Amino acid sequence: MEIKIEHQPTQERLNELGVSKWEIWKKEVSKFPWTYDSQKTYYFLEGDVVVTPNGGQPVQMGKGDLVIFPPGMSCIWEITSNVKKHYYFD
């Protein structure tokens, strides 16, 4: 299971995915566990996060990143600066 990150996708790519129509989620600096029951795609508008999959290496992500989490992944989210992101559940 792997987190896929596309750094600084083009506006054309974001338009293809319809990112501007996705819901927005905001969260302050915090740390919490999370498990993905289905594939989730995020586009970060603000913030910085370190996500550590159970048994895996920490992955850094933040503003300008398009990130896909696979179904079944359990991880720890550590938000190091307040996050605002679009999200889409497959």
Side-chain angles (χ1 to χ4, degrees):
M1 266 187 256
E2 184 184 346
I3 299 169
K4 295 179 184 162
I5 301 180
E6 201 174 316
H7 297 289
Q8 307 299 319
T10 63
Q11 190 59 52
E12 185 177 277
R13 171 93 167 113
L14 297 176
N15 291 346
E16 274 175 24
L17 294 170
V19 169
S20 63
K21 296 181 180 84
W22 298 356
E23 296 290 324
I24 288 185
W25 183 82
K26 296 179 187 179
K27 183 76 173 165
E28 68 284 348
V29 171
S30 56
K31 188 173 182 177
F32 54 90
W34 196 256
T35 298
Y36 292 91
D37 52 359
S38 62
Q39 180 173 292
K40 308 288 192 290
T41 305
Y42 302 136
Y43 178 67
F44 286 85
L45 299 168
E46 298 173 8
D48 290 292
V49 179
V50 177
V51 175
T52 306
N54 289 0
Q57 295 299 311
V59 179
Q60 184 123 20
M61 60 194 72
K63 183 177 180 179
D65 289 338
L66 182 68
V67 184
I68 300 172
F69 286 86
M73 175 177 278
S74 292
C75 55
I76 300 290
W77 270 66
E78 185 173 359
I79 298 174
T80 56
S81 69
N82 293 356
V83 162
K84 180 179 179 184
K85 63 181 173 69
H86 285 287
Y87 66 91
Y88 179 77
F89 297 165
D90 292 347

